[in-house]
Amino acid sequence: MAQTERAHWSGRLGFILAASGSAVGLGNIWKFPYVAGENGGGVFVLFYLLCIALVGLPAFIAELRVGQQGQANAVQSFKNLDHAGSKWRVAGWCGLVASFLILSFYSVVGGWVFDFVWLAIHGEISPDNAANVSTLLPELHASAFRQTFWHLFFMAATVFIVLAGVKDGLERYTKILMPVLLGLLMLLFFRSFATPGIGKALEFLFRFDLSSFSTDSLLEAVGHSFFTLSLGMGAILTYGSYLDKKESAFRLSLTVALLDTVIALAAGVIIFSTVFSNPGTEPNSGPGLMFITLPLLFADMDGGQYVALAFFLLVAFAALTSSVSMLEVVVAYWHEQHNVSRKKTALTVGGIIAALGLLSAFSTNVLADVTVYGLTFFDLFDKLTSLFLLPMGGLGISLFFGWKMCPKSANQIFSNPLHAAVLTWLCRIVVPAAVLIVIGSEILS
Ligand code: TRP
């Protein structure tokens, strides 16, 4: 191993922007609004906030801390903190495999977003073309060429950023992309207060109506709090390893969790105010919400073409700042453990993931009939990672932090012993229990 001096962020802001770039992604803008919509709005939002505080935030601190104290990639950090043969490194392996598989299909979805940016630029999401807007996504799915082109485009952009390194790649580009993302978000957010649907949107998101409570909503909320903070696959661990040991893990984690939550809520307001501005549209329109329902609504409003462009650019940047953190998990590992240059590693690993992603890109056209256990490749990779690898990774990281590193590590984070004890026990019991309940219920359902 050739580790002389590891790369680091130039400061706290570099970490905050890169980590919130990882956390804020398709999960916030695409998934959160439709899951909230399907689970009755306000009740789900309340549980989600509780889950972020009691499960997501402690798990985030745990993952960040393993990297920050271990000062190495997702596998080596466990060895540094325990011993060379430590079984806990399996958690790191789960994360590595999960990143690899998730990126292969996340990139296909990222490609759709860039395709929609292109369509918006060319005026295809506008009143002039309103009659064809609902077929834009099915047409894209049916075209193996377009699916491949945009998937490769998205992977190329991801590789381009990662190969430039921690400071000159990840930090440099997230420092540009995240402020633009926040600017676009604010623009769309304030604009939504001028739409007729804003009142209903706020009521839907924030009114607590017990009648729509179900245990499923609770399970969804736990699972999503993990996913939205990018936990369980070593991304936050790897980003944490580029932090100075002296930085406050609690403050940084709280900042990222707050940013992520505020952005998900703002995305909810933007999307539901658009949905409710049109009397015929329902909030619970599932995964098609972003690529079919919203474009239809954009095409129906004044200046909708520009709103559509701003919206899809926002999503594209959110997806890209997330995908770079997935690739970084694998690249950091390979580059450090095998002593290969970062550039070579990023190109090779990125190339392999891009090739694997073709299976997902073809899942809606030439390979639509090829299934494994009844699932297309796209769905197979999705299920394998979200139901198994991510929870296992998250479980391992929390248990390791809670039982191996705490209470010592918690006492370094908090000067107040009570706060340290709360963190320790949340990571020892509450987070693992929540993860196990979600895995169990998914296996049984
Ligand atoms: N948090 C991302 C989102 O909200 C998705 C995600 C889950 C992720 N795990 C990740 C991103 C790991 C990067 C790394 O869309």
Side-chain angles (χ1 to χ4, degrees):
M1 252 164 285
Q3 287 328 290
T4 38
E5 185 62 33
R6 276 185 100 235
H8 274 76
W9 307 111
S10 60
R12 220 170 288 158
L13 186 67
F15 171 82
I16 290 176
L17 289 178
S20 49
S22 168
V24 175
L26 296 167
N28 299 60
I29 307 174
W30 171 60
K31 198 166 172 206
F32 172 76
Y34 89 73
V35 175
E38 285 175 342
N39 287 285
V43 188
F44 178 82
V45 173
L46 189 79
F47 281 127
Y48 170 73
L49 295 177
L50 266 178
C51 289
I52 292 283
L54 296 179
V55 181
L57 183 61
F60 193 99
I61 300 176
E63 187 164 336
L64 189 158
R65 200 67 181 158
V66 173
Q68 193 187 14
Q69 297 282 96
Q71 289 289 309
N73 60 71
V75 175
Q76 185 65 35
S77 283
F78 289 98
K79 298 190 195 172
N80 289 355
L81 293 167
D82 198 13
H83 56 89
S86 174
K87 295 203 180 55
W88 294 98
R89 72 181 193 278
V90 174
W93 274 108
C94 282
L96 226 63
V97 178
S99 304
F100 195 87
L101 291 177
I102 293 190
L103 183 53
S104 78
F105 66 83
Y106 199 86
S107 161
V108 174
V109 182
W112 302 347
V113 181
F114 275 92
D115 184 272
F116 272 65
V117 169
W118 179 262
L119 293 171
I121 292 175
H122 289 83
E124 305 249 2
I125 306 175
S126 68
D128 296 342
N129 194 40
N132 302 320
V133 168
S134 62
T135 59
L136 292 174
L137 185 70
E139 273 170 15
L140 168 62
H141 283 180
S143 162
F145 172 76
R146 264 169 75 194
Q147 289 264 100
T148 306
F149 176 83
W150 289 110
H151 155 64
L152 295 181
F153 177 88
F154 188 86
M155 274 311 296
T158 306
V159 170
F160 175 79
I161 294 175
V162 172
L163 67 75
V166 176
K167 269 202 195 90
D168 296 332
L170 297 167
E171 179 167 336
R172 179 159 152 216
Y173 291 101
T174 43
K175 272 188 172 162
I176 303 170
L177 294 172
M178 286 309 282
V180 177
L181 184 154
L182 284 174
L184 289 169
L185 186 87
M186 284 211 277
L187 202 82
L188 290 166
F189 179 74
F190 289 119
R191 193 201 144 273
S192 60
F193 282 84
T195 62
I198 184 68
K200 262 185 150 174
L202 292 176
E203 188 184 318
F204 180 72
L205 276 170
F206 299 110
R207 213 187 79 187
F208 187 70
D209 170 14
L210 254 188
S211 68
S212 45
F213 171 83
S214 77
T215 38
D216 277 353
S217 319
L218 191 57
L219 292 174
E220 284 275 5
V222 179
H224 189 64
S225 70
F226 237 79
F227 183 81
T228 192
L229 291 176
S230 299
L231 297 173
M233 62 165 94
I236 297 306
L237 190 162
T238 307
Y239 276 10
S241 76
Y242 303 134
L243 264 176
D244 196 279
K245 282 192 183 179
K246 287 194 293 290
E247 296 290 352
S248 159
F250 175 67
R251 279 230 203 114
L252 292 173
S253 304
L254 188 65
T255 310
V256 175
L258 278 177
L259 263 172
D260 184 79
T261 307
V262 169
I263 291 175
L265 292 174
V269 170
I270 293 169
I271 288 173
F272 289 123
S273 63
T274 313
V275 168
F276 285 119
S277 293
N278 187 316
T281 323
E282 284 297 312
N284 55 348
S285 38
L289 184 61
M290 188 159 108
F291 293 103
I292 298 178
T293 314
L294 276 187
L296 272 173
L297 299 170
F298 290 146
D300 197 37
M301 61 200 196
D302 293 336
Q305 182 178 351
Y306 304 103
V307 181
L309 179 58
F311 179 78
F312 283 106
L313 258 186
L314 158 76
V315 185
F317 288 177
L320 193 57
T321 50
S322 296
S323 66
V324 291
S325 73
M326 296 185 208
L327 184 58
E328 179 62 20
V329 175
V330 189
V331 168
Y333 169 77
W334 202 262
H335 161 64
E336 289 177 7
Q337 304 301 100
H338 296 277
N339 200 7
V340 187
S341 81
R342 164 177 281 273
K343 202 169 166 184
K344 218 178 190 175
T345 313
L347 286 169
T348 316
V349 175
I352 299 173
I353 295 177
L356 183 68
L358 291 177
L359 290 174
S360 297
F362 293 153
S363 283
T364 50
N365 40 70
V366 286
L367 292 183
D369 296 327
V370 182
T371 55
V372 183
Y373 297 114
L375 299 167
T376 62
F377 285 110
F378 190 112
D379 294 335
L380 178 73
F381 293 158
D382 182 10
K383 291 267 177 305
L384 190 67
T385 49
S386 64
L387 299 187
F388 183 67
L389 289 170
L390 283 188
M392 293 307 281
L395 187 66
I397 293 168
S398 277
L399 289 173
F400 180 78
F401 177 76
W403 294 99
K404 285 289 227 185
M405 294 169 70
C406 285
K408 185 164 168 244
S409 193
N411 282 314
Q412 290 166 341
I413 298 175
F414 293 110
S415 50
N416 181 329
L418 182 66
H419 295 173
V422 170
L423 176 67
T424 302
W425 288 100
L426 283 174
C427 289
R428 285 183 173 181
I429 306 284
V430 177
V431 176
V435 173
L436 286 174
I437 290 172
V438 173
I439 307 182
S441 72
E442 266 156 359
I443 291 175
L444 294 179
S445 70

